[in-house]
Amino acid sequence: MLYLNGRFCRAEDAMISALDRGCLFGDGVYEVIPVYSRNPFRLDEHLARLDASLAAISLPNPHTPLQWAELVREVIRLQAYDDQSVYLHVTRGNAGERDFPFPAGVAPTVLINPSPLVTPSPEAKAKGVRAISHADFRWLRCDIKSLNLLPTVLLREAAKQQGCAECLMFRDGMLSEGAASNVFVVKQGVIACPPKNHLILPGITYDLVIELARQHGVPMEVRPVTEAEVRNADELWMTSSTREVLAIVELDGQAVGDGCVGPMARQLDQYYQDFKRTVMRAGKE
Ligand code: PDD
């Protein structure tokens, strides 16, 4: 069951117009909320990021945070499974014609679409995963969680073709992020990750990993990271709501560090898993 424009229905009954601006132009934004034991994690933060994305594309938010929270909780309740990825999509709706400027008086399309939460397999956790890299050819507003996901589609397909789980991106010699994740490097026991700005998505998992590192007194620097640092790192990890903290052990065919999941990745993942068990599953955030 999902939610579309005011009603809850089965996926096969959820129809939108072929002229929806989401289809024609990718004119919309989205969110992904991980749900553990039916408790949405950091719902307020996800709704705030959705609001920021909507504001950035001048699309009025169709719902208050309270209304969104009620809809999300109802969608969660309607599923047969406890751990979920809940996708929120808002497009600029169906104007009945194909014209680029904003249409007047058109209702946005709102879709809340859940699926079972798939986190990395125990094998991926234990052995790490491989990644490729590519120039970051996206636009200059990567802080907006835009429905224009063609770069992500192309880069993730390229990664998949090479048996890799992610594609890291560099812009002007600096690390930006993964195609659908944030990226952390470790050198000599110090973690570093790029600061939040218009070049990366402000990840909710990124925030949590930084919080956990600081809470446990692990050295952590938020600062620009060069491509050379990434290529010479002792450890590399990606973070996202679905990937959690996942070690990258090979980049472009070269081993990262000694080619195994490093001690810092294991440690931070342990903090993350403890937090998930005691806080997220308990619905405390
Ligand atoms: N992607 N950067 C990009 C470009 C992303 O698409 C994502 C998440 C992240 C991590 O954000 P968070 O920690 O809030 O999940 C960073 C989601 C999982 C997706 O598009 O499916």
Side-chain angles (χ1 to χ4, degrees), residues 11-88:
E12 48 277 38
D13 299 326
M15 300 292 169
I16 60 166
S17 166
L19 294 181
D20 192 281
R21 292 175 64 95
C23 296
L24 297 181
F25 305 131
D27 184 2
V29 296
Y30 76 109
E31 258 312 310
V32 188
I33 306 172
V35 174
Y36 298 97
S37 307
R38 298 190 184 267
N39 291 304
F41 178 56
R42 295 206 168 165
L43 181 58
D44 293 350
E45 287 83 346
H46 280 282
L47 293 178
R49 188 170 69 183
L50 177 68
D51 194 61
S53 292
L54 286 165
I57 67 163
S58 304
L59 180 51
N61 195 330
H63 298 305
T64 63
L66 195 64
Q67 288 169 333
W68 276 115
E70 279 173 6
L71 292 173
V72 167
R73 289 188 192 282
E74 182 60 10
V75 166
I76 292 170
R77 199 186 63 77
L78 290 170
Q79 310 316 312
Y81 43 90
D82 292 340
D83 285 7
Q84 307 173 13
S85 281
V86 175
Y87 281 74
L88 317 184

Side-chain angles (χ1 to χ4, degrees), residues 30 32 46 49 87 138 145 177-182 201-206 239-242:
Y30 76 109
V32 188
H46 280 282
R49 188 170 69 183
Y87 281 74
R138 301 172 302 166
K145 206 161 169 55
E177 59 182 336
S181 59
N182 293 111
L201 186 82
I204 307 287
T205 320
Y206 162 108
T239 69
S240 82
S241 298
T242 49

Side-chain angles (χ1 to χ4, degrees), residues 74-153:
E74 182 60 10
V75 166
I76 292 170
R77 199 186 63 77
L78 290 170
Q79 310 316 312
Y81 43 90
D82 292 340
D83 285 7
Q84 307 173 13
S85 281
V86 175
Y87 281 74
L88 317 184
H89 299 84
V90 185
T91 83
R92 212 179 304 271
N94 167 23
E97 59 173 3
R98 190 181 192 287
D99 193 14
F100 291 111
F102 300 170
V106 170
T109 297
V110 176
L111 169 66
I112 307 181
N113 183 28
S115 57
L117 179 65
V118 179
T119 51
S121 66
E123 197 204 349
K125 277 277 160 82
K127 291 193 179 157
V129 295
R130 304 193 298 144
I132 57 169
S133 71
H134 200 280
D136 191 342
F137 56 65
R138 301 172 302 166
W139 66 339
L140 293 172
R141 289 304 309 272
C142 297
D143 54 320
I144 302 172
K145 206 161 169 55
S146 158
L147 283 178
N148 286 275
L149 287 168
L150 201 47
T152 315
V153 169

Side-chain angles (χ1 to χ4, degrees), residues 3 12 15 31 38 62 78 80 118 121-122 132 134 142 158 183 210 213-214 222 237 245 249 261 275-276:
Y3 171 89
E12 48 277 38
M15 300 292 169
E31 258 312 310
R38 298 190 184 267
L78 290 170
V118 179
S121 66
I132 57 169
H134 200 280
C142 297
V183 176
I210 294 172
R214 293 198 167 136
V222 178
W237 331 322
V245 180
V249 294
V261 176
F275 186 86
K276 184 160 106 180

